């Protein structure tokens, strides 16, 4: 096995172009730009800095690009977006993407 | 979820397809460009071409960031990372993209410290976890990802993180559209506007396309129904002889875009005088570089960058395909020398490149089309 086999390369769709919906669970008390977000069933730290003009609160849905919430959307639109990913065959890519968010997890995965 | 069920309904799609046929003038040939690679991907995946009348031709635009990046940029970044002190961090999408001497993944196999990150903020964490090393984040993307890089740079500076830098390849969509409209062999009737880029820039930046170029443009979502509805909107405008900017993707895209994201970009980035696009050549003011106050975090200012330029093989016809003059399969290399496993040209590199999308999906009938026939 070469070293190249050790990292899990995301497959399928272009990951940086994915928009993944998530539901804000909790905004960090000490940092209003950091939130715990439920994304496709996983909890991840997502950066809210790009929504500083209209800060999401727990219960709000957001669309996430590369770990940053880019827009607030309605719950119906969030579910719709999830289905878009599904019919585009991008669900697996989205799950890989979300699983990868947060480096601690990556490091664990990369540990021998 | 009524809304969702409604969208799921193939009847709506059939209706929209009928509407397209009703509106399309049989004596006219329509050339519509979808700017965004995500749309190209969706169009092939759904076999949308089979639902459209033959006189509506979809031209695949330049909106795939991996595809338009010149190979020399990858070579430049990899050359910085040959220093064993440097960790090369990039999105997974970059890992298999070939440089002259192989992809980042192949460099890793030869001992380079290459890491996948899913967010630029993870590159910051990586720098904190490896204080004795320098982490260089290979930033890429249109306005969809540039604001995230901007906030990441702000944070690196605010935290005084000195072992972190960004190799910036961010490009902007409007100059690319302009270059395409300016090219003499190009004739287009309208544009299917990018969805996620517009979340950031909004719809206003497209107004010159309508006003000066007299071409309609409809900002569009990514479902088959979205694409069909946008085509209906374009045909309606064309029928009336109008040229407007319309927003079909209102559920996600606000007309004004995301002001906070635009502010962050303006603070951190400035326009490069020019930048090379693979397949399109040099386009003035089409890319972003990091402003002076952030020079310490700019890999290009911090390291010696060789400035490598690699031209694609002469037989590669990416430029013609990008401009819609040729279809992917008309390129002499398509499917022979150039395949997704072994890409020669830019458009075969990412799953959103039109050659790769064509290669992967053309012969695969999507469930949608089968269900319609
Ligand atoms: S087949 Fe390859 S070389 Fe030809 S246009 Fe497509 S990407 Fe370029």
């Amino acid at each position: 096995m070469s070293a190249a086999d050790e990292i899990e390369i995301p497959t399928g769709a272009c990951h940086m172009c994915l928009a993944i919906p998530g539901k804000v669970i909790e905004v960090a008390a000490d940092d209003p730009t950091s939130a715990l977000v439920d994304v496709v069933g996983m909890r991840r730290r997502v950066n809210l800095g790009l929504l500083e003009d209209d800060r999401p609160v727990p219960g709000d849905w957001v669309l996430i690009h590369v770990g940053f919430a880019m827009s607030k959307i309605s719950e119906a639109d969030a579910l719709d977006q999830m289905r878009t990913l599904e019919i585009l065959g991008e669900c697996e890519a989205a799950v890989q993407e979300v699983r990868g968010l947060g480096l601690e997890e990556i490091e664990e995965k990369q540990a021998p | 979820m009524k809304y969702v069920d409604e969208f799921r309904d193939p009847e709506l799609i059939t209706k929209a397809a009928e509407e397209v046929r009703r509106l399309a003038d049989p004596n006219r040939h329509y050339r519509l460009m979808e700017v965004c690679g995500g749309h190209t991907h969706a169009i092939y995946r759904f076999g949308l071409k089979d639902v459209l009348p033959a006189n509506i031709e979809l031209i695949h635009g330049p909106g795939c960031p991996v595809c338009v990046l010149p190979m020399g940029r990858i070579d430049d970044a990899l050359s910085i990372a040959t220093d064993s002190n440097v960790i090369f961090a990039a999105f997974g999408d970059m890992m298999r993209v070939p440089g002259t001497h192989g992809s980042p993944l192949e460099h890793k196999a030869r001992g380079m410290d290459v890491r996948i990150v899913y967010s630029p903020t993870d590159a910051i964490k990586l720098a904190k976890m490896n204080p004795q090393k320098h982490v260089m984040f290979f930033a890429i993307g249109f306005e969809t990802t540039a604001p995230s890089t901007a906030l990441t740079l702000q944070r690196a500076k605010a935290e005084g993180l000195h072992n972190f830098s960004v190799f910036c390849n961010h490009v902007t969509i409007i100059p690319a559209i302009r270059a395409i409209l300016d090219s003499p062999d190009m004739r287009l009737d309208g544009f299917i506007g990018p969805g996620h880029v517009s979340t950031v820039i909004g719809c206003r930046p497209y107004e010159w396309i309508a006003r000066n170029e007299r071409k309609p443009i409809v900002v569009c979502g990514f479902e088959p129904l979205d694409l069909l509805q946008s085509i209906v909107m374009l045909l309606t405008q064309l029928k009336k002889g109008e040229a407007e900017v319309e927003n079909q993707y209102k559920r996600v895209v606000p007309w004004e875009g995301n002001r906070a994201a635009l502010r962050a970009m303006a603070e951190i980035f400035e326009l490069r005088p020019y930048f090379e696009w693979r397949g399109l050549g040099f386009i003035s003011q089409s890319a972003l570089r990091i402003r002076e106050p952030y020079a310490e975090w700019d890999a290009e200012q911090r390291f010696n960058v060789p400035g490598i330029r690699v031209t694609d093989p002469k037989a590669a016809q990416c430029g013609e395909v990008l401009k819609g003059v040729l279809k992917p399969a008309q390129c002499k290399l398509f499917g022979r020398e150039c395949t997704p496993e072994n890409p020669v040209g830019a458009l075969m590199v990412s799953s959103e490149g039109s050659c790769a999308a064509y290669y992967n999906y053309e012969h695969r009938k999507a469930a949608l089309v089968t269900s319609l026939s």
Side-chain angles (χ1 to χ4, degrees):
Chain A
M1 249 209 189
S2 72
D5 296 318
E6 286 165 19
I7 44 176
E8 191 187 329
I9 306 292
T11 49
C14 175
H15 283 244
M16 77 176 108
C17 297
L18 285 180
I20 307 169
K23 188 178 185 177
V24 178
I25 303 294
E26 185 186 282
V27 179
D30 54 342
D31 180 2
T33 65
S34 170
L36 199 60
V37 176
D38 187 311
V39 211
V40 290
M42 291 176 268
R43 293 199 168 188
R44 284 292 177 268
R45 283 262 149 230
V46 166
N47 190 302
L48 302 182
L50 298 172
L51 293 178
E52 65 173 8
D53 295 348
D54 183 17
R55 287 213 190 282
V57 294
D60 281 349
W61 288 82
V62 290
L63 264 190
I64 302 156
H65 293 264
V66 296
F68 287 73
M70 190 65 88
S71 43
K72 274 205 320 203
I73 52 173
S74 71
E75 178 169 10
D77 290 342
L79 297 175
D80 182 61
Q81 176 63 17
M82 215 40 241
R83 216 173 47 70
T84 304
L85 292 174
E86 203 177 291
I87 59 178
L88 279 168
E90 289 173 347
C91 264
E92 197 196 327
V95 169
Q96 285 174 348
E97 173 82 14
V98 173
R99 197 178 287 140
L101 278 180
L103 202 61
E104 295 79 356
E105 292 80 7
I106 298 187
E107 288 300 295
E108 271 167 34
K109 261 194 314 205
Q110 284 180 349
Chain B
M1 287 311 317
K2 183 172 170 294
Y3 182 70
V4 171
D5 289 342
E6 244 172 44
F7 247 26
R8 239 183 207 142
D9 193 346
E11 249 175 58
L12 274 181
I13 294 189
T14 313
K15 264 201 198 130
E18 273 166 18
E19 185 74 357
V20 169
R21 275 191 287 272
R22 193 182 61 76
L23 284 164
D25 176 351
N27 300 315
R28 201 173 159 181
H29 187 84
Y30 298 90
R31 290 165 59 90
L32 308 176
M33 174 175 275
E34 87 277 3
V35 175
C36 162
H39 285 145
T40 305
H41 177 75
I43 285 163
Y44 281 111
R45 172 130 191 132
F46 302 134
L48 210 64
K49 210 165 63 101
D50 301 349
V51 195
L52 296 175
N55 60 335
I56 297 185
E57 192 186 341
L58 295 177
I59 315 285
H60 315 307
C64 161
V66 173
C67 302
V68 297
L69 186 76
M71 191 184 275
R73 295 292 293 177
I74 301 162
D75 289 348
D76 277 348
L78 288 171
S79 99
I80 293 172
T82 49
D83 179 340
S84 60
N85 242 334
V86 173
I87 297 178
F88 178 98
F91 295 143
D93 302 309
M94 286 311 301
M95 290 297 147
R96 290 187 200 283
V97 179
T100 307
H101 305 292
S103 63
L105 196 58
E106 286 162 320
H107 280 77
K108 183 181 170 66
R110 287 180 226 133
M112 186 179 280
D113 196 344
V114 172
R115 314 279 183 106
I116 292 183
V117 288
Y118 289 81
S119 169
T121 54
D122 286 343
I124 283 205
K125 283 191 212 151
L126 203 53
K128 288 183 181 164
M129 287 155 64
N130 297 277
Q132 73 295 353
K133 289 232 182 183
H134 181 93
V135 172
M136 178 181 66
F137 173 62
F138 189 88
I140 182 169
F142 285 93
E143 286 91 337
T144 328
T145 51
S148 317
T149 306
L151 285 198
T152 303
L153 281 162
Q154 274 177 346
R155 204 172 121 200
K157 186 174 185 184
E159 295 184 6
L161 190 66
H162 298 295
N163 65 329
F164 174 78
S165 67
V166 169
F167 190 88
C168 179
N169 300 289
H170 287 298
V171 281
T172 58
I173 197 74
I174 296 291
I177 299 179
R178 201 184 291 273
I180 280 174
L181 278 168
D182 285 348
S183 80
D185 45 2
M186 193 67 204
R187 197 187 61 79
L188 287 172
D189 297 291
F191 289 94
I192 296 171
H196 297 136
V197 163
S198 307
T199 312
V200 174
I201 68 174
C203 300
R204 272 188 209 290
Y206 306 116
E207 278 170 353
W208 63 274
I209 300 175
R211 206 176 39 237
N212 305 347
E213 305 283 335
R214 302 292 308 151
K215 312 263 186 227
I217 173 163
V218 177
V219 171
C220 173
F222 294 87
E223 295 220 16
L225 189 60
D226 292 327
L227 284 155
L228 285 171
Q229 279 177 347
S230 296
I231 294 170
V232 165
M233 290 160 88
L234 286 171
L235 292 176
T236 308
Q237 287 198 41
L238 288 168
K239 192 170 187 156
K240 292 195 211 149
E242 286 172 352
E244 308 276 348
V245 183
E246 286 187 280
N247 186 4
Q248 185 275 338
Y249 200 29
K250 284 201 183 96
R251 60 187 195 274
V252 172
V253 173
W255 189 264
E256 300 292 339
N258 180 330
R259 291 234 169 100
L262 292 170
R263 276 201 307 274
M265 281 169 66
E267 191 204 316
I268 306 297
F269 300 121
E270 60 191 5
L271 286 171
R272 292 175 195 261
Y274 54 85
F275 193 72
E276 188 180 9
W277 292 56
R278 222 174 156 180
L280 287 177
F282 286 92
I283 305 179
S284 67
Q285 306 201 316
S286 64
L288 304 174
R289 70 177 173 209
I290 297 166
R291 286 185 189 276
E292 204 347 80
Y294 288 84
E296 190 188 335
W297 292 273
D298 181 356
E300 285 178 88
Q301 296 187 56
R302 186 165 173 156
F303 297 99
N304 243 331
V305 183
I308 296 165
R309 285 203 60 212
V310 189
T311 42
D312 281 331
K314 276 224 171 57
Q317 292 175 292
C318 311
E320 282 83 354
V321 173
L322 252 186
K323 285 184 277 181
V325 181
L326 288 183
K327 295 275 156 211
Q330 290 173 315
C331 169
K332 290 190 275 299
L333 303 185
F334 182 87
R336 286 186 282 271
E337 288 89 343
C338 188
T339 60
E341 291 71 41
N342 250 320
V344 174
L347 308 176
M348 209 46 113
V349 171
S350 147
S351 65
E352 298 198 343
S354 49
C355 291
Y358 188 86
Y359 189 93
N360 288 331
Y361 292 115
E362 186 53 13
H363 306 295
R364 210 195 287 168
K365 288 284 168 212
L368 163 79
V369 180
T370 332
S371 75
L372 282 176
S373 53

